[in-house]
Amino acid sequence: MRIYIDSADIREIREALASGFVYGVTTNPTLLRRANVRAEGVPGLAREAIASGARELHLQTYAGGLEGMVREGTSLAQLDPERVVVKIPATAVGYAAAAQLTAQHLRVTLTAVYTVRQAVLAQSVGAHYIAVYLGRMRDAGLDALGLVGQMQRTLDIQRAGAQILAASVRAPEEIEALAELGLATVTLPLQVLRQLAESPQTATAAATFLEDATAIQ
Ligand code: G3P
């Protein structure tokens, strides 16, 4: 499973990438605002993330209109065509922009997908990733895992190339259920990432190994 950090805070991004199991970074305007990064600061943030080992960056457009989305998406991708995936909200205009960008062979993530039909449309416009908001689905009273499982099965049956990227994930246990459903990618906030490798039993075993290793030297 590919794991990303969902953040625009370079200190958090560096810590996550240093773990060795984080592949890349996902951002959105809300995360940029929270981290006090203005739109013009995104190229610098992207450069720093890549220098810290990010292999893929999902950078979101800011515009509400088609032309703006396509223009911004094109210029975000130009920051590093190998690593940048353009993220666009899965609105009617967003699908039209995504179709134009994928026609230019740019990789696109359609984000804030809440229904199976939106996932099908994302596949139709050639999106590489379909970002679903697990926690927010639950906030809206939806059976989030049931819905995401249905999306994954639909994409599998369609032999679709698009991958579901689970976002709005708020607890470390969620990754187990998502992996079991066959999801290939997940993005997590730092406080959830920090808990992933934690196990009191493993910590006890590692401490015993260390004691015994000292005794035999
Ligand atoms: O990537 C989406 C994420 O930033 C939203 O998370 O927990 O605020 O719903 P949350």
Side-chain angles (χ1 to χ4, degrees):
M1 195 173 204
R2 261 188 197 172
I3 301 171
Y4 298 75
I5 175 159
D6 201 21
S7 176
D9 180 325
I10 190 62
R11 284 161 305 180
E12 291 190 358
I13 291 169
R14 284 200 193 108
E15 179 182 330
L17 291 167
S19 70
F21 54 73
V22 171
Y23 186 79
V25 182
T26 60
T27 64
N28 62 43
T30 308
L31 294 169
L32 288 167
R33 189 176 183 186
R34 206 177 286 161
N36 236 343
V37 178
R38 299 194 58 81
E40 60 269 23
V42 170
L45 179 70
R47 273 193 299 277
E48 288 189 66
I50 290 166
S52 304
R55 282 174 280 173
E56 196 171 274
L57 302 166
H58 293 230
L59 303 177
Q60 192 161 326
T61 56
Y62 323 103
L66 178 60
E67 259 182 51
M69 281 182 186
V70 173
R71 191 181 54 249
E72 288 169 4
T74 308
S75 88
L76 286 170
Q78 278 166 358
L79 293 174
D80 189 324
E82 294 282 301
R83 293 189 178 86
V84 171
V85 182
V86 179
K87 189 134 74 82
I88 301 178
T91 57
V93 176
Y95 285 110
Q100 291 195 24
L101 293 168
T102 60
Q104 296 175 45
H105 305 291
L106 300 181
R107 289 182 302 155
V108 169
T109 299
L110 276 161
T111 192
V113 167
Y114 280 80
T115 64
V116 176
R117 60 184 177 276
Q118 286 178 302
V120 170
L121 288 185
Q123 168 68 16
S124 301
V125 296
H128 272 66
Y129 296 94
I130 297 167
V132 297
Y133 283 181
L134 213 69
R136 293 191 191 187
M137 282 177 173
R138 287 208 189 94
D139 294 345
L142 298 167
D143 168 14
L145 284 178
L147 195 47
V148 171
Q150 195 188 347
M151 284 182 197
Q152 184 65 57
R153 284 195 301 279
T154 305
L155 295 176
D156 289 345
I157 289 165
Q158 293 287 325
R159 296 196 169 79
Q163 298 185 345
I164 298 180
L165 171 66
S168 183
V169 176
R170 299 170 185 167
E173 301 78 26
E174 300 272 32
I175 198 171
E176 299 170 11
L178 292 167
E180 197 177 5
L181 288 173
L183 266 73
T185 54
V186 64
T187 185
L188 303 168
L190 185 64
Q191 74 271 18
V192 176
L193 278 170
R194 278 181 179 149
Q195 298 172 63
L196 280 186
E198 277 177 13
S199 157
Q201 292 86 350
T202 308
T204 305
T208 307
F209 288 141
L210 213 52
E211 261 178 52
D212 293 339
T214 310
I216 60 167
Q217 285 176 73

